[in-house]
Each structure stands twice: as structure tokens, then as C-alpha cells.
Amino acid sequence: MIDHTSKLPNVGTTIFAIMGQLAAQHEAVNLSQGFPNFGADPKLLELVNSALNKGHNQYAPMQGIYSLREKITGKIESLYNKAYHPESEITITAGATQAIFTAISAFVRPKDEVIVFKPAYDCYEPAIELYGGTVVPIQLGKETFKIDWEVVRSKINATTKMIIINTPHNPSGTLLTQQDMLQLQTVLQGTNIILLSDEVYEHIVFNGASHESVAKYPDLASRSLICASFGKTFHVTGWKLGYVVGPKVLMAEFQKVHQYNVFSVNHPIQVAICKYLEDETSYRNLGKFYEEKRDYFLNGIGTSRFTFKPSLGTYFQVLGYDNITDENDVAFAKRLIKQYKIASIPLSVFNLNNEDNKQLRFCFAKTNDTLDKASEIMNRL
Ligand code: PMP
Ligand code: GLN
């Protein structure tokens, strides 16, 4: 047998693949992996069809098609009042995952420290480790998931290269506030720390709150790469199209890696999304759309023994199950699939040392019919 030493000895299969596969095997109602089970706008599908038929089927430019980059400039300017130059400050990527991986690989060197808030989305840490960086985890409290900025300050030293933030936050469904961003700005003053801001759920914010994009804060924006995902925004996670924006000095470095990592990404879909973005209502109404889904789901499980604070953003709801069992969350999530045919994601996999706080994450980006089936099961537990 070939002999090799793993570069990622502690990495197994992602929880999303594990729970998704188990859900399929047991024909469970699948609220585990985050994806909508309803279709995209037929207008968008028609635009893809037309782009294919018009022959946009060869390599796109390395940075992405210019017209789409221009649209992104306009979108960010109108939402957050910050102008990114389409020529030098935007790159279209194969989803946010590639944007995140490429950003980490472009900047993190061996022994560099990267601060990550736990629970954290699972693609950040393997990338940091692969490039020899050290993950500096900060665990957030299980109720509020608030960041204590004094703790962050205490973790910063000369080797801190990057901080990764994510708002709206997966898996907790919480948001960073204006106060958080101002504190972050103060903590980073006078440092050369790069901020990687994962904002894939930027349009999915509830209760009239605003999304606090890093782009709104000039001192933060000047040191940040911001990642976004059209998959999340347009109900097409399988298309894997996203983008990254940031100041020219960071983007030039990002593109040095991007050009050899993927070179360029899906051309006809870029053409279609560029046209689709002419109508802002598609993303401006998304928060309201998912807020109704959240409320439908929470009303549905009203008689269950799960405990919760309503999600403030994303399409995830965290539920506590202390009143149901004291089983470990991974074991309970697996049993829920096998015995009750309902799939979720256990939060411990995203926590520091896999801390088990008896919490599960449920995705409510589902048809009301699916949510009805889910709540019927959950109310029986
Ligand atoms: N970041 C977070 C927080 C996510 O939930 C996801 C999943 N969509 C991604 C990044 C990756 O996005 P994409 O599917 O566009 O690669
Ligand atoms: N973002 C999705 C989630 O959090 C999963 C994407 C993936 O499977 N990697 O559920």
C-alpha cells in the first residue's frame, strides 16, 4: 500500500455529507444541510437557458465577466454605500467556499495565527491548517453567541494574521451589530490584521434589523475581503457561484492564487445572474420571505419540548433539547433520523473541543409542506 502522511490528520468527512447521506438512506424529512427544497425563479432559469443558447460556453475572464462585476459594484454601493472598483476589487468565484479557501491560501503562512469564532462554519479551519497556520478559536456562549471583544483583544499578538467573522451567523442564526463592528474596528486599529468576512446570508436578516456589512465601515473595509454567495441568495446552491470584494492591494494577491486555483468560473451562469440582478426585488425581499418561513416553522413546533430563541438571520434555527433527553447531540441527531425520520445538524461539531450544549440546527428553507411534516414529528418527541 502507498505510504503517505495526511496533511489533515484530524479531518474526517464533513457533517453535511454524513447527515445528508443518513437522511437519504432513512428517507427522513431533511432539515440538515442548508439548501432550499423549492425551485429558483423561472425567470432566472430562462436566463441561464438563453445564455447557454447564445454561446457563452467558453472560459469567462479570470476575474469574472466585467458586466457582472459592475452590477456587484452597483449593488454594494446602493446597499452599503461603498464603491468597489469592478476592474481591480472584485472576483467572481465558485461559491463562497472557493472564495474563503483562496483568501486563506493567499495570505496565511506557516505559524500565522487566525482567530475563528466557535461555533464556526466548517470550511475555515482545514484551509488554515493546510497552509500551516494556527487556528486560535474563541468559543461563544451557547445562549447569545455574543463576541466579547476584550477576549479578542487578549488573543491578538504579532503573529495574528487574520480574523474570520460571519454575519448573519451559521449555525447560530445571530447577527453582529453596529456596536460589534465599531468595537472590532477599535480592536484592529494599528494592526496589519486581515479581516475575512463571510457574509453569504447578507440578505437573510429578520425583525427589521440591518445587515452590518464590513463594507459599511471604512476602517474595516480597507483591510477586508468580503465573501458572498449567489447560491444562497437565489435558491441555487448547486450552481456554486459567488464573489469576493476587497481593496485592490488584497485583491491583487487573491487573484494571484485564484488564477491557478480555478482560473475562472461558470460562464453562462455569470451572464444569467448579471441580467437577473437588474431587478433588485429578488434579493431585497429575501429577508421577509425567510422570516415568514422561520415563523411558520416556529409556530408549527409550538407544542414541542424544544426550546429556542427565534433566529435573527440565515435560514437556520437552533433548538435546545434539554427537556427531551440528555443524549449527546451527535447521537441524538442520528437517532432522530433513524427512529423518527427527521434530520438536523448537531451543533457540537462546530464548537471548540466539540462542546455538547444539547443543541441542534434545523434548516427552514423548505416548502410549508415539508415544514408541516417536520413539525408533526417534532411535536411527538
Ligand atoms: N459560509 C457559510 C457560513 C455557509 O453557510 C456556506 C454554505 N453555503 C458557505 C460559506 C459556502 O457558500 P457556497 O455554497 O456559495 O460555497
Ligand atoms: N452551507 C450549508 C450548511 O451550512 C452546507 C454546505 C455544505 O454542505 N458544505 O448547511
Side-chain angles (χ1 to χ4, degrees), residues 1 4 7 33-34 42 48 53 58-59 61 80 88 114 129 154 175 184 209 223 225 232 263 275 288 307 318 339 374:
M1 206 168 52
H4 79 99
K7 292 182 76 178
Q33 192 184 29
V48 174
N53 287 318
Q58 308 307 332
Y59 294 126
Y80 310 124
S88 53
V114 181
E129 283 165 16
S154 75
L175 308 176
L184 174 57
R223 61 167 80 242
L225 288 171
K232 295 290 169 188
F263 179 67
K275 185 91 188 133
K288 190 171 168 294
T307 55
V318 171
Q339 197 175 331

Side-chain angles (χ1 to χ4, degrees), residues 242-352:
Y243 60 89
V244 58
V245 301
K248 185 175 177 179
V249 57
L250 297 183
M251 194 52 69
E253 222 43 48
F254 179 95
Q255 289 180 352
K256 282 186 196 172
V257 180
H258 175 83
Q259 65 185 338
Y260 295 121
N261 171 212
V262 59
F263 179 67
S264 70
V265 303
N266 197 308
H267 194 167
I269 289 182
Q270 291 191 52
V271 173
I273 285 184
C274 177
K275 185 91 188 133
Y276 192 65
L277 280 171
E278 283 172 10
D279 180 6
E280 293 185 4
T281 54
S282 53
Y283 55 87
R284 286 199 184 264
N285 292 340
L286 199 65
K288 190 171 168 294
F289 172 79
Y290 277 122
E291 186 169 340
E292 282 171 20
K293 290 265 169 227
R294 176 201 65 178
D295 292 344
Y296 191 84
F297 179 55
L298 291 180
N299 282 333
I301 60 163
T303 59
S304 81
R305 289 191 287 162
F306 286 102
T307 55
F308 58 84
K309 284 206 174 78
S311 170
L312 302 173
T314 75
Y315 45 50
F316 303 115
Q317 176 65 52
V318 171
L319 300 179
Y321 65 83
D322 279 309
N323 296 337
I324 300 175
T325 172
D326 59 6
E327 257 171 293
N328 157 285
D329 67 352
V330 175
F332 185 47
K334 287 186 174 166
R335 188 163 71 85
L336 283 182
I337 296 178
K338 292 178 192 163
Q339 197 175 331
Y340 290 94
K341 303 207 181 301
I342 174 107
S344 60
I345 298 285
L347 244 68
S348 66
V349 298
F350 308 119
N351 281 338
L352 180 58

